Amino acid sequence: MLNALEVFTTVVVGLMVGVEFSVAFVMNRIFNALPEDSDQLARAHGGRMLGALMPFWYIGSLVLSAVWAVAGWHHHGTGLVVTAAALLILSVVMSLLLLVPINNRGKTWTPENRPEDWKEQMNRWDRYHYVRVAVIIAAFTLLVAALA
């Protein structure tokens, strides 16, 4: 049963990493290349769509990692899983303190009501997101290493 939990947790976290990596390095670059107001509209839609899904994914990943750490406490690799869980906690804290406030504003913007500094706010979100992606990649890497 522990093996199934380990694999399931690793897959869930890996998929989350893939989505967030894609947002950072693929989707946002596509959005930035769109004409006129399309970038802002795409980011607002993405903020609404992913903003509804990702909290469950982040918290779920953290819970699965914590359960793995507790269930496998006396097994090889537990320190790696605990460290991965700590990094996932950091990613949740970063999200709540840095990214969610910007996302909550941005998902309501339209070309008619967006603030003058909307691009600067999106650039700030992007910078925070790059750091968060690095954190969750590190957590995923540790979970993979704990499988070995």
Side-chain angles (χ1 to χ4, degrees):
M1 187 68 166
L2 181 59
N3 287 342
L5 173 65
E6 294 169 347
V7 170
F8 183 72
T9 301
T10 304
V11 169
V12 167
V13 173
L15 290 171
M16 180 178 72
V17 167
V19 168
E20 293 291 36
F21 185 90
S22 176
V23 167
F25 297 103
V26 178
M27 298 309 299
N28 284 346
R29 291 182 183 195
I30 291 170
F31 295 164
N32 290 339
L34 294 173
E36 300 176 18
D37 295 325
S38 299
D39 174 27
Q40 186 265 306
L41 293 170
R43 283 177 173 266
H45 180 66
R48 288 187 298 273
M49 192 176 100
L50 290 173
L53 171 66
M54 296 315 286
F56 298 103
W57 212 336
Y58 273 84
I59 298 299
S61 295
L62 172 57
V63 168
L64 286 169
S65 297
V67 170
W68 175 359
V70 171
W73 191 250
H74 296 292
H75 291 83
H76 171 73
T78 302
L80 296 172
V81 178
V82 169
T83 305
L87 288 171
L88 291 172
I89 290 170
L90 175 61
S91 74
V92 169
V93 170
M94 288 177 62
S95 296
L96 292 172
L97 296 179
L98 302 172
L99 290 113
V100 169
I102 298 170
N103 189 62
N104 284 344
R105 290 190 301 272
K107 68 184 182 182
T108 66
W109 295 339
T110 66
E112 294 78 32
N113 74 358
R114 67 185 179 212
E116 290 286 325
D117 70 338
W118 75 273
K119 284 189 179 186
E120 290 81 12
Q121 291 189 52
M122 290 297 97
N123 288 336
R124 187 176 324 115
W125 187 93
D126 289 344
R127 288 190 305 271
Y128 293 149
H129 184 63
Y130 293 141
V131 174
R132 180 175 63 179
V133 168
V135 168
I136 64 174
I137 287 172
F140 174 66
T141 302
L142 291 169
L143 293 176
V144 170
L147 287 175

